[in-house]
Amino acid sequence: MMRFMLLFSRQGRLRLQKWFTAISEREKKKIIREMTTMVLARPPRTCNFLRWKDLKIVYKRYASLYFCLGVEDEENELLALEIIHRYVELLDKYFGNVCELDIIFNFEKAYFILDEFLMGGEIQETSKQIVNRAIESSDMLQEDDHSEWYDVELFG
Amino acid sequence: MPAVSKGDGMRGLAVFISDIRNCKSKEAEVKRINKELANIRSKFKGDKALDGYSKKKYVCKLLFIFLLGHDIDFGHMEAVNLLSSNKYTEKQIGYLFISVLVNSNSDLIRLINNAIKNDLASRNSTFMNLALHCIANVGSREMAEAFASEIPRILVAGDTMDSVKQSAALCLLRLNRTSPDLIPMGEWTARVVHLLNDQHLGVVTAATSLIATLAQKSPDEFKTSVSLAVARLSRIVTSASIDLQDYTYYFVAAPWLSVKLLRLLQCYPPPEDAALRSRLTECLETILNKAQEPPKSKKVQHSNAKNAVLFEAIALIIHHDSEPNLLVRACNQLGQFLQHRETNLRYLALESMCTLASSEFSHEAVKTHIETVISALKTERDVSVRQRAVDLLYAMCDRSNSKQIVAEMLSYLETADYSIREEIVLKVAILAEKYAVDYTWYVDTILNLIRIAGDYVSEEVWYRVIQIVINRDDVQGYAAKTVFEALQAPACHENLVKVGGYILGEFGNLIAGDPRSSPLVQFDLLHSKFHLCSVPTRALLLSAYIKFINLFPEVKGTIQDVLRSDSQLRNADVELQQRAVEYLRLSCIASTDILATVLEEMPPFPERESSILAKLKKKKGSSKLPDLDDSRRTVNGSSEHAEDTEAVNINVNQTCRFLTEELISTDRPHPTSCSATMLPTRTMGPIHTSTDILNLNSTPSSGASLLVDVFSDMANPAPTEGSEDHFPRFVCKNNGVIYENQLLQIGLKSEYRQNLGRMYVFYGNKTSTQFLSFSTSVTSDIVLSSHLSVQAKPVDPLIEAGAQVQQILNIECVSDFSDAPVLNIQFRYGGTLQNIAVKLPVMLNKFFQPTEMASQDFFQRWKQLGAPQQEVQKIFKAQNQMDTDVAKAKLLGFGVALLDGVDPNPANFVGAGIIHTKTTQVGCLLRLEPNTQAQMYRLTLRTSKESVSQRLCELLSEQF
């Protein structure tokens, strides 16, 4: 399973954190610090995998953002890399040419998209269409909120 | 699609976020945040009821502040209120807040659970998904308790929407990981397995994740999944790339599902059914074939997905370890990757080959790539890839290529990254020893190690070379000559001085015939290094000097002068001073004979496995050490190579401890039985903690030495193997190993006084991986808990690889009892949660106080306790040899005083004692009559309380 996903900038600013197991805030901060230092110190064109304690760390840089995934030993590194890529594609589809600012200003959306895609440290839905449809429909719900459409649905 | 602010963007939030981004300093940021927090607080406290939108906005701001790294201590209630909103967007923010900022506040959890319950019952799939996500995100025990029965129901119900099924499967998986005891298997398991046949590939993927995890724990329950998984896999790998529509990822058919199915199959041995087996083999062949086809896209995603499936297929092939053809093919395909331009593939190929090297079928095939791997070591730019190359060389090493591999590693060591030097040193030392046909090569190799990377040569390594030299007289002369030559170098590492001092002190005589290395030359050479060395090394050199006095009477005067000098006799360091004084004295007063006896050559060390292995394992943690720790392999790891090293593993911890005991009080390696006990070094024990490799010190009364005590049990062949019930063994003793499996060893040491007891529990991690979330609890059933109280002190939640932690239990006996409390241990090892329950050996007889009494008192009391319910008698067959001394020891261990001269028959035993409980004291008399002819015993117990007589009789009669 995956243990965590972190998004951080080249300057080491954390942009998104998702933890799939319960750990203390202190421990989280320690991991974030170690991941950013470790990953940012890697020279270019090196491999995307690292070992850290009992975990495999898989990371990839997209423009100014690093995506870093901590997975358990039995996980497949290459597919972990593609999980990152698929998430980037989903963000891209939603925001249209996603950039770091989109994630900063719409962090809650970034979480919602991630939740449609991953759950409990496992991949939930690999189809891009289905995930996109789920996110679009929840956006529809938001826009319709003011018309109380949902109340009708609830009692209907 | 709108750009920056999507959906029903919250303008206030966007403004706040830009404010924060515009802050020029950390202080400005904190100030802005505090202002916002004050504002939100006043809004939440205000009289005016907030509308849903504002509540949502403020909760979202709090979340943002929290994610910036600030503490949030309010707003939870408002977030919980949002959960019951019927506006989707408010509910969603509420759930997000709860998921990110879980609080173990139980009042809130109850409210949250209520909201979840409503949403699960809503039959609205969007709401149900939100609720399931929240459970999976929080995953707390209270939630598991509340929903453990509901979620399986949702998962297998016929009318559940696909997306809800997916969430339910993964939610169940999460709860199973956190609270497995709350998720009982049931009739739903069979129906979950059938989800593998579902039309919807998303459902199949989620279900496969769930089944793969559950099957690891209870393979039998999910056996039927094997045939379904093979069928599904076969359909995927033979499908055209577009058949699976959106589940095709860059022209690869359902890579995630394929990998999960392959992982599920790794929970099982190869299928026994021939048809099934051949279908699976076909699948694997197809995957290998497809990997060879020209790529359908130039995108890296295509090759990654394709190769991900390939690597997982290879992992399954290695796991089965039964199809030589597939193994060799796998090896060849990995071989192509060794020179691939993608660094990732080179890395993974090296890693995967490590495991292939431990299969007897593919070991030779792996070896053919030796040149490529060596060149990787020399040319790879990425240190993590080089590290994998070192691992692979280590794994592929055998007698045929050991010289080449060791030479390459040594030469790499000269330029190796500091971060991996120590590990390489250990590996070289192990290989050099393991494959040494000729020990001169071994000695050269180790001396080279010290020369090239002296700082990284740990004590284990140089202790080991000395042990080997002492034990092999064919290499002693060579070793003496070689160290003598090595010491000639103007600057040599202190570790070399240690080895040199020790070896010349023992075997300098073997080269003393040559005038170039005459005794005086040897001494001068050693002494020229003396002043540059640290205290422990100097102490070692002083011992070498006194050994010289014995070996070479002609240098006695010179050495005595050195010992006599102020810098020795008045050295500020007490150890050095004491050695100088004692050695000088010894050399003056002892006759040659006595001197020769005291300073005799070291006897051989008992042969045993190297402690270096343990060190390497400890250092590596869980990272791949292919032939040492691949737990997946052991499932059916039939190859000789693997078993061979498995045996080593088991010995490692033990060895390490033996060594420790031996080395504790000295800075020199010490054989166990030796004349050296007369060396004054022994008197200095505790000072030399620096040489104490496991940080156990040797003061007998300290807690740490208890450990040594406990585990020294392991030396006795009897008790530890198998983790059968060790409980009865503790009736008559207080210390020992109560539980042991492949991962964990639990040792106990306990002491009792009156009605109180204290138990030290030692948890030893036998693996090379940390135990995480380690926790324990002691449980008693209701009856027992009113009679016996056990308080456990907190225990460290993390146990490092190879380490031990101690926990103290305080025990109080309130009144007499017959059951035993249970120690429950839970921890995470690798990915899985381990649960162990051990019956704690706290028995009634532990609260015995022995009572001495005269014969007539005994008989008087015996008569007083004459009521029929006070006496319990049992006649039983002897299970062990009937030995008077053993029986005596057991009775004393049981806790009674043995009374001599009471029973007219001297072969019988009579004992007395008092059981102390908080409420009462129960006097107890016993008589044990052995009948050696019949091989029977008769045991009679009289106490003032029937239940006590019964229980004591049960306990004691099992012991003979």
Side-chain angles (χ1 to χ4, degrees):
Chain A
M1 74 176 285
M2 293 169 256
R3 296 271 193 87
F4 57 80
M5 185 189 246
L6 304 176
L7 269 63
F8 48 84
S9 69
R10 265 191 301 169
Q11 292 75 35
R13 300 278 303 214
L14 190 67
R15 296 305 182 201
L16 189 115
Q17 44 175 319
K18 179 75 185 176
W19 307 89
F20 297 106
T21 51
I23 50 173
S24 68
E25 289 303 317
R26 225 178 109 216
E27 184 71 6
K28 284 181 190 171
K29 287 194 174 138
K30 215 177 119 207
I31 294 176
I32 292 169
R33 204 168 46 238
E34 286 198 39
M35 288 305 123
T36 45
T37 12
M38 223 166 72
V39 169
L40 292 174
R42 298 275 292 167
R45 304 231 325 270
T46 47
C47 76
N48 297 85
F49 317 128
L50 290 168
R51 286 195 163 277
W52 181 76
K53 299 203 172 161
D54 56 342
L55 296 184
K56 290 173 175 170
I57 306 301
V58 176
Y59 70 93
K60 189 161 181 179
R61 183 176 152 187
Y62 286 86
S64 61
L65 268 190
Y66 281 88
F67 289 68
C68 173
L69 202 55
V71 302
E72 287 179 359
D73 196 48
E74 78 279 354
E75 286 294 312
N76 190 307
E77 289 99 331
L78 287 174
L79 268 195
L81 211 47
E82 294 318 301
I83 284 179
I84 293 177
H85 186 74
R86 180 44 49 107
Y87 182 48
V88 173
E89 284 181 350
L90 291 169
L91 291 172
D92 219 41
K93 179 90 182 21
Y94 183 79
F95 290 107
N97 254 330
V98 66
C99 68
E100 199 180 333
L101 278 181
D102 290 324
I103 294 173
I104 296 172
F105 279 94
N106 300 284
F107 70 96
E108 81 282 10
K109 290 285 174 209
Y111 275 104
F112 296 150
I113 295 171
L114 192 62
D115 273 350
E116 290 293 338
F117 176 45
L118 306 177
M119 178 170 176
E122 300 288 344
I123 193 155
Q124 179 180 208
E125 181 51 80
T126 63
S127 156
K128 191 155 73 171
Q129 281 174 16
I130 295 184
V131 177
N132 278 328
R133 228 178 290 142
I135 297 163
E136 274 165 30
S137 71
S138 72
D139 260 5
M140 297 287 288
L141 292 182
Q142 303 210 349
E143 276 154 29
D144 285 345
D145 267 351
H146 305 289
S147 65
E148 303 292 313
W149 175 79
Y150 233 101
D151 290 336
V152 178
E153 166 82 355
L154 265 179
F155 299 109
Chain B
M1 289 269 168
V4 165
S5 195
K6 292 271 307 182
D8 69 329
M10 291 168 272
R11 215 162 298 112
L13 177 65
V15 170
F16 175 58
I17 295 176
S18 5
D19 278 4
I20 296 288
R21 286 177 55 76
N22 291 334
C23 287
K24 295 275 181 293
S25 65
K26 193 81 200 163
E27 291 73 34
E29 185 186 305
V30 172
K31 208 171 147 200
R32 178 67 185 87
I33 283 170
N34 285 337
K35 187 177 150 206
E36 193 63 38
L37 286 175
N39 173 40
I40 298 173
R41 203 177 261 127
S42 76
K43 293 283 190 216
F44 282 166
K45 277 193 182 151
D47 309 326
K48 212 171 64 166
L50 287 176
D51 61 8
Y53 171 80
S54 317
K55 221 184 273 175
K56 179 183 83 170
K57 183 179 72 185
Y58 292 130
V59 165
C60 210
K61 279 182 180 176
L62 286 179
L63 186 58
F64 180 78
I65 293 170
F66 177 78
L67 289 170
L68 278 179
H70 300 269
D71 288 338
I72 294 297
D73 54 5
F74 68 102
H76 301 77
M77 204 57 212
E78 283 73 12
V80 173
N81 286 340
L82 286 178
L83 296 184
S84 40
S85 161
N86 47 25
K87 290 211 170 87
Y88 176 74
T89 150
E90 289 165 17
K91 198 186 267 289
Q92 198 183 21
I93 293 287
Y95 272 124
L96 180 61
F97 183 92
I98 301 295
S99 302
V100 175
L101 274 109
V102 242
N103 197 309
S104 53
N105 186 330
S106 59
D107 296 345
L108 274 184
I109 286 283
R110 214 167 302 137
L111 290 173
I112 296 167
N113 280 354
N114 250 338
I116 292 176
K117 205 166 282 168
N118 289 336
D119 283 336
L120 286 182
S122 71
R123 310 186 59 78
N124 172 318
S125 63
T126 324
F127 285 8
M128 288 172 87
N129 277 337
L130 279 180
L132 289 167
H133 263 282
C134 182
I135 301 173
N137 274 324
V138 177
S140 73
R141 231 186 134 71
E142 292 96 326
M143 282 195 180
E145 274 163 4
F147 302 107
S149 54
E150 178 69 2
I151 296 168
R153 208 189 48 71
I154 295 176
L155 175 57
V156 297
D159 58 348
T160 305
M161 300 266 292
D162 288 333
S163 67
V164 177
K165 274 189 197 163
Q166 283 165 272
S167 307
L170 296 179
C171 185
L172 192 58
L173 172 54
R174 168 83 163 105
L175 293 185
N176 183 275
R177 279 179 178 140
T178 47
S179 319
D181 53 312
L182 295 178
I183 314 286
M185 301 293 159
E187 51 93 35
W188 58 272
T189 49
R191 300 176 65 181
V192 167
V193 170
H194 279 278
L195 290 178
L196 290 177
N197 274 336
D198 202 281
Q199 297 260 311
H200 189 290
L201 284 192
V203 172
V204 184
T205 310
T208 312
S209 295
L210 174 64
I211 297 168
T213 305
L214 296 177
Q216 269 172 20
K217 292 174 191 161
S218 17
D220 288 342
E221 195 94 21
F222 294 91
K223 238 186 206 150
T224 48
S225 64
V226 173
S227 59
L228 294 179
V230 171
R232 192 92 222 192
L233 183 66
S234 162
R235 266 180 283 158
I236 296 172
V237 297
T238 53
S239 68
S241 55
I242 44 161
D243 284 359
L244 304 176
Q245 293 156 357
D246 207 34
Y247 288 92
T248 299
Y249 182 82
Y250 290 87
F251 304 101
V252 181
W256 278 283
L257 178 53
S258 306
V259 164
K260 296 237 175 257
L261 291 168
L262 288 163
R263 180 123 11 98
L264 168 60
L265 292 170
Q266 285 172 62
C267 302
Y268 293 93
E272 278 163 20
D273 176 71
L276 191 59
R277 189 169 172 153
S278 79
R279 194 160 181 204
L280 176 57
T281 307
E282 263 169 43
C283 283
L284 295 170
E285 275 168 351
T286 312
I287 294 172
L288 292 177
N289 290 340
K290 280 200 172 173
Q292 298 285 51
E293 285 170 11
K296 293 198 175 68
S297 152
K298 281 190 176 144
K299 288 252 164 73
V300 68
Q301 284 75 27
H302 171 69
S303 87
N304 279 353
K306 193 163 84 169
N307 292 324
V309 178
L310 174 67
F311 277 109
E312 207 60 45
I314 291 176
L316 180 62
I317 293 170
I318 297 172
H319 168 80
H320 283 170
D321 199 14
S322 60
E323 299 274 353
N325 286 339
L326 288 179
L327 282 160
V328 171
R329 269 197 73 184
C331 184
N332 292 339
Q333 281 184 247
L334 290 177
Q336 297 168 7
F337 285 155
L338 288 179
Q339 306 192 56
H340 201 281
R341 64 189 167 78
E342 276 277 325
T343 315
N344 288 344
L345 290 180
R346 295 198 302 275
Y347 175 98
L348 293 174
L350 289 165
E351 185 178 74
S352 189
M353 268 202 180
C354 267
T355 40
L356 272 175
S358 55
S359 162
E360 58 176 328
F361 300 119
S362 47
H363 184 74
E364 287 305 314
V366 172
K367 276 168 61 186
T368 58
H369 298 287
I370 186 167
E371 297 303 333
T372 320
V373 182
I374 287 172
S375 102
L377 194 59
K378 290 176 176 158
T379 57
E380 278 293 346
R381 293 152 40 108
D382 184 345
V383 56
S384 31
V385 183
R386 290 198 296 271
Q387 167 116 43
R388 294 285 89 82
V390 172
D391 287 349
L392 179 53
L393 284 177
Y394 179 73
M396 67 161 70
C397 191
D398 63 17
R399 219 163 276 292
S400 71
N401 56 20
S402 55
K403 290 218 163 147
Q404 184 188 9
I405 287 179
V406 166
E408 291 296 346
M409 282 194 179
L410 273 175
S411 86
Y412 173 59
L413 194 52
E414 309 232 17
T415 54
D417 312 74
Y418 295 109
S419 55
I420 57 174
R421 279 194 185 188
E422 185 179 2
E423 194 187 310
I424 297 176
V425 166
L426 292 171
K427 286 187 163 153
V428 169
I430 290 167
L431 294 179
E433 179 183 340
K434 194 165 167 194
Y435 298 113
V437 188
D438 141 23
Y439 278 88
T440 60
W441 174 70
Y442 171 75
V443 170
D444 286 342
T445 305
I446 302 294
L447 291 183
N448 265 329
L449 270 186
I450 296 176
R451 183 179 56 78
I452 297 168
D455 285 344
Y456 299 88
V457 172
S458 55
E459 282 161 343
E460 288 86 344
V461 173
W462 74 261
Y463 284 173
R464 191 71 189 153
V465 66
I466 284 170
Q467 288 176 9
I468 286 173
V469 170
I470 300 241
N471 287 12
R472 310 209 143 249
D473 41 20
D474 52 334
V475 75
Q476 289 160 358
Y478 181 79
K481 180 165 159 285
T482 318
V483 292
F484 178 78
E485 279 161 10
L487 283 168
Q488 309 277 346
C492 53
H493 196 271
E494 187 161 338
N495 279 334
L496 181 66
V497 179
K498 290 177 183 160
V499 176
Y502 199 107
I503 288 182
L504 292 181
E506 294 295 322
F507 309 112
N509 56 326
L510 299 177
I511 55 168
D514 188 329
R516 283 167 301 177
S517 52
S518 70
L520 192 61
V521 176
Q522 285 186 41
F523 173 74
D524 286 341
L525 180 60
L526 280 182
H527 200 53
S528 69
K529 317 284 181 195
F530 187 92
H531 301 282
L532 302 169
C533 292
S534 63
V535 168
T537 308
R538 289 188 196 187
L540 184 149
L541 286 177
L542 289 179
S543 297
Y545 297 168
I546 186 77
K547 289 245 166 184
F548 271 17
I549 291 184
N550 175 43
L551 291 178
F552 317 118
E554 63 267 43
V555 294
K556 184 173 174 178
T558 318
I559 291 176
Q560 280 178 331
D561 286 344
V562 169
L563 293 175
R564 202 176 284 124
S565 70
D566 275 0
S567 64
Q568 307 296 352
L569 276 190
R570 298 188 179 187
N571 196 296
D573 184 90
V574 67
E575 170 70 22
L576 293 180
Q577 190 187 91
Q578 182 165 359
R579 284 192 191 211
V581 170
E582 292 182 9
Y583 290 159
L584 180 61
R585 203 71 199 122
L586 181 66
S587 70
C588 295
I589 58 172
S591 70
T592 338
D593 282 354
I594 292 177
L595 213 54
T597 315
V598 174
L599 300 171
E600 201 185 351
E601 187 182 305
M602 287 292 188
F605 287 82
E607 282 295 344
R608 58 172 67 114
E609 294 296 342
S610 162
S611 60
I612 306 175
L613 263 180
K615 169 95 175 176
L616 179 63
K617 287 195 58 166
K618 201 170 163 182
K619 188 166 163 44
K620 279 289 276 191
S622 65
S623 54
K624 283 272 188 271
L625 249 189
D627 56 347
L628 299 179
D629 64 352
D630 194 334
S631 51
R632 276 201 294 200
R633 285 197 51 73
T634 59
V635 180
N636 58 355
S638 53
S639 74
E640 219 174 90
H641 204 81
E643 272 173 27
D644 187 46
T645 41
E646 208 59 38
V648 172
N649 275 351
I650 295 162
N651 275 324
V652 160
N653 279 338
Q654 234 170 308
T655 311
C656 206
R657 283 192 196 97
F658 289 142
L659 270 182
T660 313
E661 279 175 85
E662 252 160 48
L663 295 172
I664 273 170
S665 54
T666 174
D667 55 350
R668 300 162 54 96
H670 253 298
T672 32
S673 61
C674 67
S675 54
T677 45
M678 290 186 66
L679 284 178
T681 54
R682 276 281 161 135
T683 61
M684 299 307 300
I687 291 178
H688 282 272
T689 45
S690 61
T691 56
D692 179 349
I693 27 179
L694 281 187
N695 276 334
L696 298 173
N697 63 54
S698 57
T699 323
S701 62
S702 77
S705 74
L706 300 180
L707 247 192
V708 177
D709 223 60
V710 168
F711 290 109
S712 66
D713 244 10
M714 293 177 62
N716 307 327
T720 51
E721 68 259 355
S723 54
E724 288 303 285
D725 198 1
H726 289 178
F727 185 83
R729 291 199 296 114
F730 283 81
V731 171
C732 294
K733 65 175 200 167
N734 286 334
N735 308 331
V737 174
I738 180 74
Y739 178 86
E740 178 154 28
N741 67 7
Q742 287 169 322
L743 309 177
L744 176 74
Q745 186 188 53
I746 306 175
L748 297 181
K749 165 117 189 157
S750 31
E751 53 199 32
Y752 293 89
R753 215 150 274 136
Q754 307 218 319
N755 70 322
L756 300 177
R758 173 167 294 179
M759 188 176 273
Y760 301 86
V761 188
F762 300 93
Y763 304 99
N765 177 348
K766 294 167 62 178
T767 73
S768 57
T769 310
Q770 291 174 324
F771 292 166
L772 300 170
S773 325
F774 189 88
S775 68
T776 68
S777 62
V778 178
T779 50
S780 310
D781 63 33
I782 299 170
V783 182
L784 179 60
S785 55
S786 61
H787 296 286
L788 182 78
S789 110
V790 181
Q791 304 292 338
K793 293 266 171 75
V795 64
D796 206 333
L798 183 134
I799 307 186
E800 295 289 350
Q804 286 142 8
V805 302
Q806 175 191 306
Q807 183 178 31
I808 297 178
L809 308 179
N810 287 323
I811 301 163
E812 184 182 26
C813 175
V814 180
S815 58
D816 72 279
F817 62 96
S818 46
D819 243 341
V822 175
L823 174 66
N824 305 290
I825 298 131
Q826 199 180 54
F827 58 93
R828 195 165 272 287
Y829 166 68
T832 51
L833 202 64
Q834 306 282 332
N835 276 300
I836 294 166
V838 180
K839 216 156 107 180
L840 274 180
V842 180
M843 305 91 169
L844 184 56
N845 66 297
K846 298 295 174 196
F847 303 95
F848 249 130
Q849 194 186 354
T851 320
E852 295 287 348
M853 58 179 78
S855 168
Q856 66 200 65
D857 294 338
F858 183 87
F859 284 114
Q860 194 188 350
R861 287 181 201 201
W862 185 263
K863 279 189 202 122
Q864 281 167 1
L865 295 171
Q869 70 276 16
Q870 291 175 326
E871 180 183 288
V872 174
Q873 190 170 70
K874 192 168 176 185
I875 297 168
F876 55 91
K877 192 136 191 79
Q879 286 160 4
N880 303 307
Q881 211 183 340
M882 296 177 76
D883 180 299
T884 311
D885 290 334
V886 172
K888 251 187 201 163
K890 284 194 171 160
L891 286 168
L892 289 171
F894 191 64
V896 294
L898 282 178
L899 309 177
D900 286 332
V902 174
D903 202 301
N905 179 353
N908 293 346
F909 304 96
V910 168
I914 297 169
I915 297 277
H916 286 261
T917 73
K918 193 178 172 191
T919 45
T920 52
Q921 298 187 355
V922 182
C924 168
L925 305 174
L926 72 81
R927 184 170 186 224
L928 179 70
E929 300 158 273
N931 179 340
T932 39
Q933 266 178 337
Q935 289 289 302
M936 303 284 277
Y937 285 101
R938 181 165 76 176
L939 174 66
T940 315
L941 270 145
R942 287 188 180 187
T943 78
S944 50
K945 209 167 168 195
E946 186 184 358
S947 54
V948 174
S949 307
Q950 286 287 2
R951 180 61 182 155
L952 291 177
C953 181
E954 278 165 29
L955 287 168
L956 190 57
S957 59
E958 295 294 315
Q959 296 298 312
F960 294 93

